[in-house]
Amino acid sequence: MTGTAGTTASERAIAQQKPSSLTKSLGGPLPDATLDLYDHYWPPVEHFEGFDLELTDFLAAEPVKQRAFLETLRHDPEAHGRFLHSHLAAIYAHNFGYRDGAYTRHVDDEGEIAQFAAKVVLERELFDHWATPGDVPRFEDQLKAADHLDHLAETNPGVVHPLFDFIRDEASREQIERFLLCELIRNEVVDDEVALLVVGLQGMQKAVAAANLWDECGRGKLENFHTYWLRRLLEATSDGWGELDRYRLGHPWFAKLTSNINAALLTRPARKMMAYGCFLVFESWVEPHFVRILEGMTRVGLLDDERRIYFTAHVAIDPRHSRELSDGLRRQRPRLSIEEINDVVQGAHLASDTGRRQFDHMLTYLRAMSSDGATG
């Protein structure tokens, strides 16, 4: 028995690690329905066919010309935001390695160098001239910082944003179904976002991020991968896979804000602690948002559990994730430096501000839908 007197550290370690956590998952056949859904490539994106002309021209320009061009856009917040977020999203596809990313199936040294250089310029513009987190408090103690993050997670503007009251109380079935497509795209690679978060963390922070990833991966059961629940949503929707393909062509740039800010933090090692704080806020939103989404789905008659499982499961799971992330900060060893502590806090405030802006845009977008589903 582990932990009893007379056992060695090696024996206790072996007892804890020797049993495979995948024995049941690897030991039996998968149901046909599971196999059928896993035949679909995920995320359900098309192969990369080249950057659009606007981004191609930007990639070819010298950095000084790139920066000058971005400066001219700042007087027009809509054009500025659209350019930054549309093109950052196209570039970030490379970092996740799926088939919609440039250079994910072959190596192109010159192309990748140009892409990374443009990424650096666009991210500098993002943080210096687009992001608006306001005054962020500073802390010298990680316990006090964790307390602040718990409070921020409960009170930031994204928690009770009017978008989710609109979904619950007013949105038509058509508006809710459009919003579900946005949510699906926003969450379709969250497992790999968490995987990138794990890299470079230490101690308890790494443990809680890895535990979150293990949950995302169904704790080894393919039927419980969180992305599998999204597959089920699509499969249960009339022409769901085709509908998503068509919708993706016009997926609005502002629906990419939170994904982009997260990727901007995850893909630069110096911003890793900011990514940790960012993810904590994202996880804290899930329960209040998904409860309202489910209530809105019920109101308009979207009652099929296949379409609801992603949301119902996360209402139960994600409050624990958020608590574990803040507790991981409290119990972190080695202790974080003052700079690292405040990076975590900065990332959380960036997430809060970015989410509020995305939800503002999305509420306007959904309200503008006409009766035929087009947006004005």
Side-chain angles (χ1 to χ4, degrees):
M1 181 177 179
T2 61
T4 59
T7 60
T8 67
S10 293
E11 289 169 337
R12 292 192 296 272
I14 292 167
Q16 195 247 347
Q17 293 281 310
K18 188 175 181 179
S20 172
S21 56
L22 290 173
T23 299
K24 292 182 179 179
S25 299
L26 295 174
L30 289 170
D32 289 343
T34 302
L35 291 173
D36 289 344
L37 280 184
Y38 269 100
D39 281 340
H40 290 275
Y41 185 88
W42 194 270
V45 292
E46 297 300 322
H47 289 279
F48 178 75
E49 295 183 353
F51 294 120
D52 68 21
L53 181 60
E54 190 176 57
L55 181 52
T56 299
D57 289 344
F58 188 82
L59 290 169
E62 293 294 324
V64 64
K65 291 184 178 180
Q66 292 175 340
R67 291 190 290 270
F69 172 73
L70 292 171
E71 184 176 357
T72 67
L73 291 179
R74 292 175 199 159
H75 72 280
D76 184 341
E78 179 80 9
H80 188 236
R82 183 198 61 78
F83 188 91
L84 282 177
H85 287 283
S86 296
H87 298 322
L88 278 171
I91 289 172
Y92 289 140
H94 171 84
N95 294 97
F96 289 95
Y98 292 111
R99 66 187 185 187
D100 61 330
Y103 321 121
T104 59
R105 296 302 303 159
H106 70 284
V107 172
D108 182 330
D109 292 352
E110 291 185 2
E112 292 183 63
I113 289 168
Q115 181 180 251
F116 184 77
K119 175 180 182 289
V120 170
V121 172
L122 289 170
E123 287 176 346
R124 176 53 54 204
E125 186 74 13
L126 180 75
F127 288 111
D128 288 356
H129 299 287
W130 183 86
T132 57
D135 294 329
V136 178
R138 290 186 59 82
F139 297 89
E140 296 185 1
D141 180 273
Q142 62 195 50
L143 298 179
K144 292 181 180 178
D147 290 342
H148 171 75
L149 294 179
D150 282 339
H151 177 72
L152 181 70
E154 294 176 354
T155 61
N156 73 80
V159 177
V160 291
H161 193 279
L163 168 64
F164 298 94
D165 289 342
F166 171 76
I167 296 293
R168 181 190 61 194
D169 300 331
E170 302 178 47
S172 67
R173 180 175 177 131
E174 185 179 37
Q175 289 168 320
I176 290 178
E177 288 180 330
R178 178 73 61 85
F179 180 71
L180 293 181
L181 294 176
C182 293
E183 282 293 285
L184 192 153
I185 290 174
R186 189 166 68 90
N187 291 287
E188 64 188 354
V189 296
V190 69
D191 49 357
D192 281 337
E193 291 174 333
V194 180
L196 288 177
L197 179 63
V198 172
V199 178
L201 293 177
Q202 297 188 44
M204 192 55 68
Q205 286 182 292
K206 190 164 201 138
V208 297
N212 192 304
L213 178 59
W214 184 231
D215 284 349
E216 289 287 340
C217 294
R219 299 188 177 186
K221 188 173 182 180
L222 288 178
E223 299 95 318
N224 283 335
F225 269 54
H226 295 189
T227 53
Y228 181 76
W229 299 336
L230 294 175
R231 293 172 190 253
R232 291 173 68 170
L233 186 159
L234 281 178
E235 190 71 9
T237 303
S238 178
D239 191 28
W241 299 89
E243 185 180 1
L244 182 65
D245 285 343
R246 293 187 293 273
Y247 167 75
R248 199 184 291 273
L249 296 174
H251 186 50
W253 66 267
F254 50 79
K256 303 169 184 176
L257 304 188
T258 52
S259 296
N260 283 348
I261 204 75
N262 197 26
L265 302 177
L266 288 170
T267 58
R268 300 291 289 278
R271 298 185 178 126
K272 177 54 58 83
M273 288 299 166
M274 295 171 70
Y276 189 92
C278 177
F279 188 62
L280 186 153
V281 168
F282 287 170
E283 290 289 89
S284 73
W285 283 337
V286 172
E287 181 187 25
H289 291 179
F290 283 14
V291 165
R292 287 167 172 79
I293 291 169
L294 285 165
E295 290 174 346
M297 293 174 74
T298 299
R299 178 176 53 79
V300 300
L302 293 171
L303 305 176
D304 184 355
D305 190 54
E306 291 294 294
R307 300 183 72 173
R308 295 166 67 97
I309 184 173
Y310 182 82
F311 303 99
T312 55
H314 278 81
V315 167
I317 294 168
D318 276 29
R320 169 173 57 81
H321 285 167
S322 180
R323 289 193 302 271
E324 287 177 349
L325 286 160
S326 61
D327 286 341
L329 178 61
R330 287 186 178 89
R331 297 173 64 86
Q332 173 60 24
R333 296 294 186 278
R335 290 189 179 276
L336 301 184
S337 68
I338 293 175
E339 291 79 9
E340 289 172 322
I341 291 169
N342 287 293
D343 278 351
V344 175
V345 175
Q346 178 77 15
H349 281 264
L350 272 171
S352 172
D353 176 67
T354 303
R356 174 192 58 78
R357 295 170 71 175
Q358 178 166 315
F359 304 151
D360 285 348
H361 280 291
M362 186 58 65
L363 179 57
T364 301
Y365 170 80
L366 292 176
R367 287 190 183 278
M369 285 179 63
S370 63
S371 59
D372 65 359
T375 53

